[in-house]
Amino acid sequence: MRVSKGARLTAGTALLALALTACGSSTSSGGGTAAADQPVRMELGEPQKLFYPGDTTESEGAEVMAAIFAPLVGYDENKQVVNEVAESIESTDNTVWTIKLKPGYTWHNGEKLIAQNYVDAWNYAANQDNVQGANGFFARVDGWADLNPGEGQTVSTKEMKGLKVIDESTFSVTLAKPFSQFKTMLGYTAFYPLPKAAFGPDGKVTEEYAKKPIGQGYFQIDKPYNKGTDQTIDLTRYDKFAGTKPKFTKLQFKLYTSPETAFNDLAAGNLDVHDSLPPSAIARAKSELGERYMDEADAGVGYIGFPLQYNKTYANVKVREAISMAIDRATIADKVFSGTRAPADDFINPLLEGYRAGACAACSYEPDKAKAQYAENNGPKTLELGYNTDGPHKEWIEAVANSLRANLGIEVTVKPFEKFASILDELDKKTYGGMFRMGWAIDYPSAENYLTPIFSTVAIKTGSNYAGWSNKEFDELLAKGDTAPTQEEGLKFYQQADDILIKELPYIPVYFYRTNAAFSQHVKGVKINLLNQIEWTEIEKAS
């Protein structure tokens, strides 16, 4: 998932000498006061794909989907699971789970939400023939293997035997092995249902539906979204929504390729919510916006990744360690991000149980040791580092590059990609061989979510393992954590798996995020939840 937030770049160290400050003055076109029918307007990067729930694995698409769909569960401020569409989710053995839906929920086309809608959606997402990015999230369901026999093999069934409809509002999920945290997962995008209208005669979710999805959440989409040409995604409140409804009627996502431009629009009154401020905007936001500037704890992690599966340049872990030790995380956190980040010293964020301070020894700044180790292991004389410019990453990526140049004595080229979707597409196709900027915003509050979706073997083809890294012992420890009788016991195995990541470094943790956001004078009550998504029921139009 994309995590793209930032703070102001300040000068003063050799590390930052080449980092460029992107700044600008606000424009004044269209500020004024909010009209009663004006939508609440939020900044967004272009989603990587159309709106298939099972194929939306990055945060831009997930933000839109969260406005259109309602999840089975949500999470409170204490990171505990609370039922949303689900009336109950119960299991006596962590293997067979019974899910009962609350009454009253309907699809935007008026049809009643039923248990079959979940079974249909999950079977579709889990089928390898449908090439859905979130396929791996269903790997624990009994029968997933039958839908994923492997490349070149024929899928002989359309359904997982672990999914059963009990009655119109109830279905059961039988897992292949016990998993105590299954309920915790169910707030994620992959587990949204699909209406009958989503499927064509061939049983596939149609492109027509993915452009204009029918959901059962807060808002319904006004018109088909044409990816690559449309600059806005427009939605209207669904007044028959069974849960708590938003207090405003119109929502508009405005698509930007520059977070600086988005901030200028917000300052001018042409945008209402910007949840990923660039470093160049933080000081100005603090001074000009006052209480409309937000700086809050965040569960995300910022990384530098290596395409290990198809580029042997980075195969030697000693080289990866040296690169990690050459990065001055403290200066980046303090100077580039004005103290709104913390140097990362684990793969698990401090907000989640399981984090261990100082766990990653190779995350410490040791430039002399790094240089010697890099030379001893014949590290490459040139490196490339890619990042997306539609998020606030230019300054810190330049700072990382400067660290590597200064401390390893090598040439480092920084490669910008206009859109996050572009770098993801190239990593998916294995056509980009450089190091790459990556971030992770949690899908559900569990230490396991920092491990399985990003680094497990199954996540290479059916998840977000862009490194293509695979380790049998790591996978075995995840399985032990999954099948532990309690979450507390499972955490011990997840931490052991985390130790393997720290030893192997398929990614380099660089910093832990904070949320740096802002909102306009036209709205109030802006709140961002644990999943880095806006709580639309909290926002009100300002008088």
Side-chain angles (χ1 to χ4, degrees):
M1 270 199 173
R2 173 184 170 198
V3 186
S4 54
K5 305 173 179 71
R8 181 175 173 80
L9 170 68
T10 57
T13 69
L15 168 65
L16 301 176
L18 299 180
L20 302 177
T21 304
C23 58
S25 59
S26 63
T27 58
S28 58
S29 58
T33 58
D37 60 348
Q38 178 174 282
V40 171
R41 302 154 300 178
M42 180 181 173
E43 168 270 342
L44 199 73
E46 182 182 83
Q48 184 189 11
K49 301 176 181 178
L50 294 176
F51 302 123
Y52 300 90
D55 205 25
T56 299
T57 58
E58 45 75 43
S59 61
E60 307 308 274
E63 186 80 64
V64 178
M65 300 287 270
I68 297 172
F69 289 83
L72 285 166
V73 303
Y75 312 100
D76 64 20
E77 293 183 353
N78 296 316
K79 308 176 192 68
Q80 299 301 304
V81 178
V82 293
N83 289 335
E84 295 286 347
V85 176
E87 184 173 276
S88 62
I89 303 174
E90 299 177 345
S91 178
T92 59
D93 59 2
N94 292 334
T95 300
V96 180
W97 296 79
T98 302
I99 301 173
K100 186 173 182 61
L101 307 178
K102 291 177 181 176
Y105 283 89
T106 58
W107 293 100
H108 296 158
N109 63 3
E111 293 181 3
K112 182 179 181 180
L113 176 68
I114 58 175
Q116 188 67 50
N117 299 143
Y118 287 89
V119 171
D120 290 344
W122 296 9
N123 278 326
Y124 184 82
N127 191 322
Q128 70 175 29
D129 288 348
N130 298 325
V131 197
Q132 299 290 283
N135 174 301
F137 282 89
F138 299 94
R140 296 182 177 90
V141 179
D142 190 19
W144 176 85
D146 297 330
L147 292 179
N148 294 270
E151 189 173 350
Q153 302 297 311
T154 301
V155 178
S156 59
T157 181
K158 299 292 185 183
E159 300 175 349
M160 291 183 284
K161 56 190 174 185
L163 296 182
K164 301 291 183 185
V165 172
I166 297 173
D167 59 40
E168 194 174 62
S169 62
T170 313
F171 66 105
S172 66
V173 185
T174 300
L175 306 181
K177 296 178 181 179
F179 181 45
S180 63
Q181 299 182 77
F182 179 68
K183 181 177 179 179
T184 305
M185 294 178 68
L186 297 179
Y188 181 48
T189 309
F191 297 99
Y192 290 154
L194 284 170
K196 294 178 182 178
F199 299 93
D202 60 355
K204 303 283 189 180
V205 175
T206 66
E207 183 176 297
E208 178 184 13
Y209 174 82
K211 286 184 173 183
K212 190 182 179 184
I214 297 167
Q216 30 69 288
Y218 302 131
F219 297 93
Q220 51 191 340
I221 192 166
D222 291 346
K223 60 182 180 179
Y225 165 61
N226 295 297
K227 178 176 163 58
T229 57
D230 287 354
Q231 299 303 305
T232 65
I233 301 170
D234 300 292
L235 303 99
T236 300
R237 186 177 64 200
Y238 181 54
D239 287 333
K240 293 182 180 179
F241 178 64
T244 302
K245 299 177 183 65
K247 301 178 181 71
F248 58 95
T249 58
K250 292 284 188 179
L251 173 62
Q252 181 182 77
F253 293 103
K254 298 182 70 173
L255 307 187
Y256 290 86
T257 57
S258 165
E260 288 82 10
T261 300
F263 179 74
N264 287 338
D265 274 358
L266 185 139
N270 300 321
L271 183 71
D272 297 311
V273 181
H274 191 339
D275 71 343
S276 53
L277 296 184
S280 58
I282 295 299
R284 184 176 158 205
K286 288 180 178 179
S287 64
E288 293 183 13
L289 302 183
E291 293 182 354
R292 292 190 284 114
Y293 165 70
M294 302 169 66
D295 179 13
E296 300 176 352
D298 187 304
V301 184
Y303 308 104
I304 298 296
F306 303 95
L308 300 177
Q309 187 179 35
Y310 57 92
N311 189 338
K312 303 306 180 185
T313 300
Y314 319 101
N316 187 342
V317 67
K318 292 296 184 181
V319 169
R320 302 198 296 273
E321 282 182 354
I323 291 172
S324 180
M325 292 186 293
I327 299 173
D328 188 351
R329 292 167 174 79
T331 297
I332 291 172
D334 183 46
K335 300 298 182 180
V336 176
F337 289 118
S338 298
T340 62
R341 298 291 185 272
D345 54 2
D346 194 0
F347 280 83
I348 298 170
N349 184 288
L351 287 185
L352 273 289
E353 188 176 1
Y355 163 75
R356 295 162 297 167
C360 177
C363 295
S364 60
Y365 182 49
E366 300 185 59
D368 293 338
K369 181 179 178 181
K371 187 170 186 178
Q373 182 168 312
Y374 195 82
E376 289 168 3
N377 289 275
N378 298 313
K381 301 300 182 183
T382 61
L383 292 174
E384 184 172 271
L385 178 54
Y387 75 101
N388 53 296
T389 62
D390 60 346
H393 306 299
K394 181 177 182 178
E395 292 88 349
W396 79 267
I397 289 296
E398 288 282 6
V400 168
N402 286 335
S403 275
L404 301 182
R405 292 176 186 125
N407 296 324
L408 300 181
I410 60 173
E411 180 181 343
V412 181
T413 301
V414 172
K415 179 177 174 61
F417 289 78
E418 184 182 26
K419 300 174 183 178
F420 189 52
S422 300
I423 194 169
L424 291 180
D425 288 343
E426 290 210 23
L427 290 170
D428 279 334
K429 292 183 293 186
K430 301 178 177 59
T431 55
Y432 180 64
M435 300 186 299
F436 51 88
R437 168 265 154 191
M438 189 57 62
W440 187 254
I442 61 170
D443 307 310
Y444 45 90
S446 167
E448 178 272 336
N449 188 237
Y450 293 99
L451 308 174
T452 306
I454 325 173
F455 301 111
S456 67
T457 299
V458 72
I460 294 174
K461 289 188 176 181
T462 61
S464 299
N465 188 344
Y466 293 106
W469 176 79
S470 178
N471 182 287
K472 183 180 178 181
E473 184 182 0
F474 177 82
D475 291 337
E476 289 173 347
L477 286 167
L478 291 180
K480 289 179 180 178
D482 289 354
T483 56
T486 66
Q487 293 190 25
E488 291 74 21
E489 292 179 66
L491 186 60
K492 298 175 184 177
F493 294 107
Y494 295 141
Q495 288 178 324
Q496 291 176 38
D498 182 36
D499 287 336
I500 293 177
L501 286 181
I502 291 167
K503 180 181 177 181
E504 294 292 325
L505 292 178
Y507 282 8
I508 294 171
V510 179
Y511 59 81
F512 297 127
Y513 277 91
R514 288 187 66 81
T515 294
N516 300 116
F519 55 95
S520 78
Q521 68 271 30
H522 301 317
V523 297
K524 59 183 180 180
V526 177
K527 182 179 179 181
I528 300 172
N529 64 26
L530 186 67
L531 305 187
N532 288 295
Q533 294 171 348
I534 302 297
E535 294 280 8
W536 297 116
T537 57
E538 299 292 325
I539 291 182
E540 297 182 60
K541 291 284 193 72
S543 56

